[in-house]
Every structure is written in structure tokens, then in C-alpha cells.
Amino acid sequence: MGLRERKKAETRAALSWAAIQLTVERGFDGFKVEEIAAAAGVSPRTFNNYFSSKAEAITSRHLDRLLRFAGELRRRPPDEPLWDALAGAALAEFEPGPEVLAHPAPDPAQWAAGLRVMVTEPALQGEFLRAGAAARAEIAAAVAGRTGTDLGADLYPHLVAAAVLAVVDTAVTHHLRTSGAVPAEQSLAEGFALIAAGLPAPH
């Protein structure tokens, strides 16, 4: 990625993170696009160059993370077992970016409570579904390339992609359910391990 593309990706990430923080703090209707831009240190016009709405800005973080996951999966060692590679790619993408380090989340329990409200916002749910659908296709393509399956003819890569999204969604939901007490990374690792083991019955 060149310098220009990297700067654009950083601006996009900063805007999305600012939108998420404002939503957690004030609710979806409690702020304007201008405040997102100000929090990210750019102009409202710059915001409009990246996103068409607050909802798109908020959910783009989820979409970008999943698309990076697909790219990371393609870069994993070819001899690494598939489910180990999937878990490794997912965990790599949960590392905090510079925008998070510059503007960290507050108390974990308070943050989780705000995120629980955010993800139930009707205006956002459709955007999250669209993001998942777009990412599923990329993940399936990465799985097909890794496993030598046919993206058009075989069920397998699509089923794996759907399972990946289910693990990610469930891990994040469990993190929020426990008010941040269980790190999302821990649930991700456990989720992929359980899927790889065939979801054995709990002891």
C-alpha cells in the first residue's frame, strides 16, 4: 500500500472510530456528522468523501476489519491448518489500530454497555448485515484459494465463511454480554477452537 492509500485508510479508520465513540457516549441521534469530522480532525467535506451517512461510518469499521481478515488469511503460511490460519487471521485483526491508541475506549464495562445499545440501533442493523454480506464473499474467496475449492461450484468455502462470521459475531456479543469481562480475543480463540473440534458437547 502506497503512502496516499495508507493515509486514506487512516482517515477512514479515524472517522469510523470517532463515530463509534460518539454513538456509545451519546446515542445514535445524539450528534451530527460535523462532530464526527471534528473529533477525527478533518472537515465535514472530508467526511462526505468517505461516507454517505453516520450509519455507514459506524459500520465501516466492522467491514474493514473483516476485509482485512480475508487479506490476512491469504498471507498466512500455506501449510498452516485451515482453522489455525482462520483463528490467527481473526486475532491479528483485533489488534488496536493507531486511532484506538490515540483515543482509547473508557472503562470496559461502560464501553460495553454503550456498544450493546449501539448494536441494537435499528438504523445500524441493516448496515451491519450489508457489511457482513460483502465480507462473506471475500472470506469465501480467500478460503477457496487456500483449500483449492471452487467458489462457484463448492459449498465448502461459503460454509466456512459463514462459520467465521458466526464466530466473530458470537465472540463480540459474548464480550458485550459479560460487560467486557471476557475479552473478545479470548472468545474468538475459543470459538475457532470449538469449531475446529467439531463443536463437541460441553463437559
Side-chain angles (χ1 to χ4, degrees), residues 10-145:
E10 289 172 356
T11 300
R12 179 182 174 88
L15 284 166
S16 183
W17 183 239
I20 290 169
Q21 287 192 301
L22 286 168
T23 304
V24 168
E25 292 168 5
R26 306 185 196 175
F28 182 70
D29 296 319
F31 61 96
K32 297 180 179 180
V33 162
E34 288 80 4
E35 293 172 273
I36 301 174
V42 300
S43 68
R45 181 177 179 180
T46 298
F47 175 92
N48 292 328
N49 288 338
Y50 287 88
F51 304 112
S52 61
S53 66
K54 291 194 297 184
E56 185 182 356
I58 292 163
T59 57
S60 78
R61 185 173 183 80
H62 179 60
L63 173 60
D64 290 349
R65 176 179 280 166
L66 292 173
L67 294 177
R68 289 197 307 270
F69 166 88
E72 175 64 20
L73 180 61
R74 290 185 173 98
R75 290 188 292 271
R76 305 290 296 187
D79 58 346
E80 187 177 22
L82 176 63
W83 288 98
D84 290 347
L86 291 166
L91 290 168
E93 292 312 320
F94 267 75
E95 290 293 323
E99 70 283 359
V100 179
L101 297 176
H103 302 282
D107 174 74
Q110 177 187 1
W111 179 252
L115 287 178
R116 281 199 301 271
V117 174
M118 186 188 82
V119 297
T120 61
E121 169 61 48
L124 295 175
Q125 289 178 335
E127 288 288 344
F128 277 119
L129 288 173
R130 278 190 284 273
R136 186 184 299 114
E138 286 296 318
I139 295 170
V143 171

